[in-house]
Amino acid sequence: MTRIKALNYPYPSKRMVTYGRNGMVATSQPLASQAGLDILKKGGNAIDAAIATAACLTVVEPTSNGIGGDAFALVWTKNKLYGLNGSGQAPKGMSIEKLKAQGIEQMPKFGWAPVTVPGAPGAWAELSERFGKLPLTDVLQPAISYAKNGYPLSPVLSYFWEKATENFNETLKGDMFKSWFKTFAPGGRAPKAGEMWCSEGHATTLEAIGRTSGKAFYTGELADKMDAFSRQNDGYLRKEDLAAYKPEWVDPIKVHYKGYDVWEIPPNGQGLITLIALNILKNDTFSSRDNEETFHKQIEAMKLAFADGERYITEASHMNRCVGDLLSDTYSEGRRQLISDEARLPEAGDPSSSGTVYLATADGEGNMVSFIQSNYMGFGSGLVVPDTGISLQNRGHNFSLNPNHVNALKPGKRTYHTIIPGFLTKGEEAVGPFGLMGGFMQPQGHLQVLMNTIDFGLNPQAALDAPRWQWMKGKEVLFEQSVPNHIINALAARGHNVRLSHISNAFGRGQIIWRDPITGVLCGGTESRTDGVVAVY
């Protein structure tokens, strides 16, 4: 038999929406979705399933997230929505002055400078302790098994793995990066689709996290290894930074949009951008999805929201504008009046005068989780703590080295964060979790899939399948090739600098689960642009 061409699909295919009643897990990797479902079948709830899936994704999709990354969650249980901020702070020994003394004028992507305290393991432990039914050791077992025994790479995963390896071969120089190549490019190359990959270090680390409910990572032997690796390579991360970390329970923020409440995690996350854009558009009536007026208003509202986000979003205690002011009806209407028939350059307003994996889980008892986890840029900083599988994130790349910027680097500060889980409710009932991974595409994806659902009545799968756009900067907008030509031409005539992308990688990858409040039936969609699967029973 000739080698299967795993990335060659000459004929169009179609996914159907998925239904179930007892449990559902939607994510970008079939093995991770099945791992979450297995936990549900063993008596776990949606929270246990989310943790199992998230941990499994650090093994079966390390191109997007890892044990050394951050996480956020929105948890619906017992008719209430809870928010968890699992993002870590900058090391206390790092400052703008120290970086500039080393000749660093802009935060780099790789190496120790962009490494912040990893929050994901702490988030797993916190969720398990507060809401889980099964022991964390049991919940992490599927991930441990795949790390120890290996698994065959899926097609899209292999594509990103190979691209990252090619990039790292050119950019990562020095002994500090050798562990990344040893772990993820054994034999000097990336594994291909269908080839097996395993990591004993991942398995050992996950076992320690489960056995100690995360303490090994923050105060025990794993913290010692991270500290030693950092010191050996003149890094800033210390055991004291890890020991001081604790995930933060937060009150989710919302806007009311055409009969529904749309919920996001508050800053330092960028979910606020989605809410600002929806607030600008909530009084508009859209006759159809696929026309130039709809696209134009969506793009212009998102540009205005991003301008506000870039100017104001950072860790909540460092923001100089209140979230409530940015979401006020008066401010939103003033921003709405700025949208004309032509494309504009975005500018931030003043309300005082008026860069991942995403998963969704649900169980038969009505519990639901919207969970997102990331190393930020692909594999992150390029640093892997030797023999642990801990790939350290490069989230600190978002910090500004301008001391006057709202998101300026400070010791112990959380940076502007791109990863955002979403949740939808109607009245007192949960509709369900939704999310879309992909850096600064995320709030744009949230806006598009929500409007596909609420304004245009699309089911979860169709809402995800619909052609997408991404605002890049200024008047530049990137479109998928499936956006009709007449819309592209009409938008160009309005002054948009339109570009077509021949690949779909730039437009994020999402998951949706909606629940019928009367029957309890779950309805899910998964991303057709990746290896996504909805596992259900």
Side-chain angles (χ1 to χ4, degrees):
M1 178 174 144
T2 58
R3 184 173 182 82
I4 293 173
K5 298 179 180 178
L7 288 167
N8 182 29
Y9 298 89
Y11 310 112
S13 62
K14 179 171 64 177
R15 290 177 184 264
M16 295 294 176
V17 71
T18 302
Y19 287 100
R21 175 61 178 81
N22 296 314
M24 182 175 286
V25 181
T27 191
S28 51
Q29 286 295 320
L31 298 176
S33 294
Q34 191 60 51
L37 194 70
D38 289 344
I39 292 298
L40 289 174
K41 289 183 175 181
K42 290 178 180 177
N45 59 21
I47 295 87
D48 295 316
I51 300 165
T53 306
C56 200
L57 282 165
T58 69
V59 179
V60 302
E61 195 175 333
T63 55
S64 303
N65 77 126
I67 303 171
D70 281 346
F72 293 81
L74 289 168
V75 180
W76 179 271
T77 184
K78 296 180 181 178
N79 298 315
K80 184 177 178 181
L81 189 65
Y82 299 83
L84 183 65
N85 183 330
S87 64
Q89 296 90 345
K92 291 180 180 174
M94 185 165 66
S95 66
I96 291 175
E97 294 75 21
K98 286 186 178 180
L99 291 181
K100 290 193 172 182
Q102 294 180 335
I104 299 173
E105 295 296 328
Q106 186 174 1
M107 188 66 83
K109 294 179 182 179
F110 306 117
W112 282 103
V115 174
T116 51
V117 174
W124 304 342
E126 189 75 16
L127 287 167
S128 178
E129 181 180 349
R130 184 167 185 179
F131 294 124
K133 292 175 64 177
L134 300 181
L136 187 58
T137 50
D138 293 353
V139 170
L140 298 187
Q141 196 54 49
I144 293 167
S145 178
Y146 282 125
K148 189 175 294 184
N149 301 318
Y151 65 92
L153 268 68
S154 55
V156 176
L157 171 65
S158 71
Y159 171 83
F160 285 112
W161 205 315
E162 183 175 9
K163 291 296 182 185
T165 303
E166 290 174 356
N167 179 40
F168 281 8
N169 275 325
E170 294 180 2
T171 57
L172 301 188
K173 307 298 181 183
D175 289 345
M176 74 175 76
F177 299 113
K178 285 184 177 179
S179 184
W180 186 92
F181 290 97
K182 179 182 177 182
T183 303
F184 295 112
R189 66 169 179 85
K192 298 183 182 299
E195 291 184 348
M196 297 289 290
W197 178 82
C198 65
S199 172
E200 187 66 37
H202 271 81
T204 302
T205 293
L206 290 167
E207 286 173 338
I209 291 170
R211 186 176 61 251
T212 65
S213 295
K215 294 181 179 64
F217 192 90
Y218 293 100
T219 60
E221 65 266 29
L222 295 173
D224 289 333
K225 290 181 178 182
M226 285 183 273
D227 183 289
F229 185 46
S230 177
R231 290 177 188 273
Q232 289 166 8
N233 295 282
D234 297 322
Y236 296 96
L237 187 65
R238 296 290 183 266
K239 187 176 182 179
E240 291 76 16
D241 298 312
L242 296 162
Y245 175 73
K246 185 172 177 59
E248 179 186 4
W249 291 102
V250 296
D251 293 326
I253 57 176
K254 69 172 182 176
V255 295
H256 191 71
Y257 183 80
K258 301 182 179 181
Y260 294 84
D261 287 325
V262 181
W263 299 85
E264 300 275 359
I265 292 284
N268 55 322
Q270 64 174 347
L272 176 61
I273 292 175
T274 301
L275 301 184
I276 292 173
L278 286 171
N279 232 21
I280 292 171
L281 295 172
K282 68 182 181 182
N283 292 320
D284 286 302
T285 300
F286 298 94
S287 59
S288 68
R289 182 193 180 280
D290 295 315
N291 68 51
E292 63 171 288
E293 188 72 13
T294 297
F295 276 76
H296 174 71
K297 286 186 175 180
Q298 286 179 329
I299 293 166
E300 293 300 292
M302 185 54 64
K303 285 157 64 174
L304 292 168
F306 258 109
D308 285 340
E310 182 179 0
R311 183 171 179 178
Y312 298 122
I313 292 177
T314 187
E315 186 170 19
S317 60
H318 292 271
M319 287 181 64
N320 55 26
R321 291 294 184 273
C322 175
V323 169
D325 291 341
L326 289 163
L327 294 179
S328 72
D329 287 342
T330 301
Y331 181 66
S332 297
E333 183 59 28
R335 300 296 271 164
R336 180 173 176 261
Q337 296 300 322
L338 297 176
I339 298 177
S340 66
D341 291 336
E342 296 184 354
R344 291 172 52 107
L345 291 172
E347 294 181 3
D350 185 357
S352 64
S353 61
S354 54
T356 304
V357 294
Y358 174 77
L359 64 98
T361 64
D363 60 31
E365 299 174 357
N367 301 303
M368 291 180 277
V369 180
S370 182
F371 191 98
I372 198 158
Q373 184 169 271
S374 177
N375 277 342
Y376 187 34
M377 296 178 176
F379 279 98
S381 64
L383 298 170
V384 174
V385 182
D387 303 319
T388 67
I390 300 172
S391 185
L392 295 168
Q393 64 184 351
N394 60 345
R395 182 58 59 182
H397 178 70
N398 276 343
F399 275 124
S400 172
L401 298 187
N402 175 359
N404 297 318
H405 193 281
V406 68
N407 196 44
L409 169 66
K410 291 183 180 180
K413 180 182 178 181
R414 289 179 172 133
T415 185
Y416 176 118
H417 224 290
T418 58
I419 64 174
I420 49 172
F423 204 91
L424 192 65
T425 61
K426 187 175 179 66
E428 299 298 317
E429 301 284 354
V431 178
F434 69 92
L436 188 138
M437 57 212 261
F440 295 97
M441 176 65 197
Q442 290 179 57
Q444 307 187 58
H446 279 209
L447 175 82
Q448 292 173 64
V449 299
L450 281 171
M451 291 186 67
N452 289 345
T453 299
I454 297 170
D455 290 272
F456 309 120
L458 298 182
N459 68 54
Q461 191 58 58
L464 290 167
D465 288 344
R468 295 179 192 153
W469 51 265
Q470 181 178 186
W471 173 70
M472 307 301 288
K473 60 183 178 180
K475 297 182 181 181
E476 181 182 341
V477 189
L478 188 66
F479 294 89
E480 286 193 289
Q481 286 187 322
S482 50
V483 175
N485 280 337
H486 73 276
I487 293 178
I488 298 289
N489 293 335
L491 292 171
R494 287 177 179 247
H496 295 279
N497 178 10
V498 301
R499 290 200 295 118
L500 289 178
S501 175
H502 69 282
I503 57 174
S504 59
N505 299 337
F507 299 96
R509 291 169 278 170
Q511 317 292 331
I512 298 173
I513 298 176
W514 300 146
R515 182 179 185 272
D516 187 310
I518 299 174
T519 65
V521 169
L522 304 167
C523 179
T526 190
E527 186 59 68
S528 57
R529 297 164 181 82
T530 189
D531 303 309
V533 162
V534 178
V536 62
Y537 83 112

